[in-house]
Every structure is written in C-alpha cells, then in structure tokens.
Amino acid sequence: MRGSALSSVTDALSTGTQLVVGRYRIDAPSGAVWWSDEVYRMYGCEPGEITPTVDLIRARTHPDDRARVSRTAIVSLRAGRPFSSAHRIIDPHGKARTVVITGRGQVADDGTIAQVGGYVLDVSPVARETLERETHRAVGRAMVSAAAVEQVKGSLMVVRGVDESAAAEQISEVAARAGIPVQAAAAQVVTALRSATGEPDDRLRTALESVHSVDRPHGHEAQLARRRQSSSR
C-alpha cells in the first residue's frame, strides 16, 4: 500500500502532472466531517451539495479497499503516527477515482484522539498523463503557485510520514536556505523531480537539495566560477 501511494505521487510530479489537492478534518467525538471544495468535487458533487459523514466516506470507498483503509488508519492513529492510504472512491455516477489520503490525529489532554486531519490527493490522472509524458516534458514548466507548495507538502507527508505543519516547515527551511520564496522553491522541487531517479525517498531528497537561488551559480556554472577565481590568483 505505502509503496503504491509513494509511486503514485512521485510519478505524477515527475511527469509534470498537476494533482488536485484537498483537505479534510474529522472531529472524533462528534464524527463531524469538514471537506475543502476540492474534496467535494473528488466525490462527484458540488461544495455543500451533500453533508460529508464517516459513513458516507466508507460507503464511497471501493468495497475491495474498505477494510485495508480502515486498518491502516486505525493502526497508525493508535500508534500516534501519520498515515497514508492509496485507494479508490466511487462517485454517485459510478465513476472511480484513485486518491491518496494522508492524515494524523490530534491528541486531547486525556490522551484520546480529538481530531483527524490531512490531505486528499486525486492521483487518477497519473495513468492517462503517463501516456503523454513526452508532451508534458516538452512543454511543461513548473508551476510557481500555491498549488506547487501543496503538492510538495503532500509528498513530504506521504514519503516522510510527517504531519502538515512539519511538511510546511521543511519546505520553508529549504526556501530560506536558498533565499527565495516558498512558491519558487516548491516549483524547483517539482522541476527537479522530473530528472530524479531511485527510490521515492531518494528522489524527494535530491529534489529538495537541488533548490537554489536564481541569482546563484548552480551545478557546472558554480564549477566554472571557481575555476575563474583560481586562474585569476
């Protein structure tokens, strides 16, 4: 399961695919569910058209995936760890989507889970976009936008098993070291993932380490600069 989730996210980013990313929260004591507009649309309806509930989420999860999804979340929440799950959901029209859900529980003072929240990523376009990979590589440029930040944060949560705030802190630290805005750093990560190779952890680490100031010599340019300095001495 986890390997499938990682491959879905990293493959989507490496081909330049723009994933739809939404957020959710579940209040544990009452069972009340909150969705961002993007999640409503993933489930085949307009924002506010239905009232999301835990029972509805379970009913819309593909029957073959329900037990695994529940088991993954329960085991992780009991252990106090973030969780991720790649599975299929079915909308009212019978259309299936593949999503990756990440989340983590917030613990109340009495030690019980007070709230569960995280991201929902629609990775359905991955298979279709893979067929057009060469086109995307020819015309694709990284998005310098909030969407790129959300994608990178979601990937950090899935690949490194951190919560939302920790993922945001990591991309902010990378941007601060390079002296560039977070959006620009996230765009560079998306671009770098296109040529990164290896396991998901290695691909993401390489992409994060490649973030640099746009005014600073990078790669072979840095080597040329050092050579010029040496020859002038």
Side-chain angles (χ1 to χ4, degrees), residues 9 13 17-24 34-42 99-102 118-123 125 143 146-155 157 164:
V9 175
L13 290 173
T17 303
Q18 180 176 351
L19 300 181
V20 176
V21 182
R23 297 186 182 190
Y24 74 93
W34 174 86
W35 283 347
S36 68
D37 291 352
E38 295 86 356
V39 181
Y40 277 99
R41 296 190 175 100
M42 290 180 204
V99 299
V100 172
I101 293 183
T102 67
Y119 286 101
V120 184
L121 299 88
D122 184 355
V123 296
M143 302 176 301
V149 176
E150 296 301 321
Q151 289 183 29
V152 175
K153 283 165 58 178
S155 297
M157 291 178 67
E164 178 185 349

Side-chain angles (χ1 to χ4, degrees), residues 33-101:
V33 178
W34 174 86
W35 283 347
S36 68
D37 291 352
E38 295 86 356
V39 181
Y40 277 99
R41 296 190 175 100
M42 290 180 204
Y43 278 81
C45 57
E46 290 301 311
E49 183 178 343
I50 61 174
T51 300
T53 65
V54 173
D55 288 341
L56 182 143
I57 293 171
R58 179 174 174 78
R60 297 283 179 86
T61 302
H62 193 286
D64 293 344
D65 297 339
R66 287 174 189 163
R68 174 175 54 79
V69 173
S70 297
R71 182 171 59 252
T72 298
I74 290 171
V75 170
S76 296
L77 289 172
R78 286 177 176 172
R81 299 193 304 266
F83 66 88
S84 64
S85 173
H87 61 274
R88 294 160 291 176
I89 59 175
I90 311 296
D91 71 15
H93 310 290
K95 180 180 179 180
R97 295 177 186 268
T98 300
V99 299
V100 172
I101 293 183

Side-chain angles (χ1 to χ4, degrees), residues 194-218:
R194 297 178 186 174
S195 57
T197 59
E199 295 298 319
D201 284 335
D202 295 331
R203 292 166 65 181
L204 184 58
R205 183 178 63 254
T206 299
L208 290 169
E209 290 175 351
S210 73
V211 173
H212 59 92
S213 170
V214 294
D215 297 323
R216 185 178 66 195
H218 191 60

Side-chain angles (χ1 to χ4, degrees), residues 26-32 54 106 108 110 112-116:
I26 301 175
D27 181 74
S30 67
V54 173
Q106 295 182 7
D110 61 3
T112 61
I113 299 296
Q115 186 181 90
V116 179

Side-chain angles (χ1 to χ4, degrees), residues 153-165:
K153 283 165 58 178
S155 297
L156 283 164
M157 291 178 67
V158 174
V159 175
R160 294 186 172 177
V162 298
D163 62 13
E164 178 185 349
S165 62

Side-chain angles (χ1 to χ4, degrees), residues 116-196:
V116 179
Y119 286 101
V120 184
L121 299 88
D122 184 355
V123 296
S124 304
V126 174
R128 181 177 69 254
E129 296 296 340
T130 299
L131 298 176
E132 301 173 358
R133 180 170 300 185
E134 295 305 319
T135 300
H136 281 287
R137 286 178 176 174
V139 303
R141 293 186 61 184
M143 302 176 301
V144 184
S145 65
V149 176
E150 296 301 321
Q151 289 183 29
V152 175
K153 283 165 58 178
S155 297
L156 283 164
M157 291 178 67
V158 174
V159 175
R160 294 186 172 177
V162 298
D163 62 13
E164 178 185 349
S165 62
E169 183 177 350
Q170 288 186 27
I171 186 62
S172 295
E173 289 175 352
V174 169
R177 284 198 297 269
I180 59 177
V182 170
Q183 290 88 348
Q188 289 189 26
V189 172
V190 172
T191 299
L193 279 168
R194 297 178 186 174
S195 57

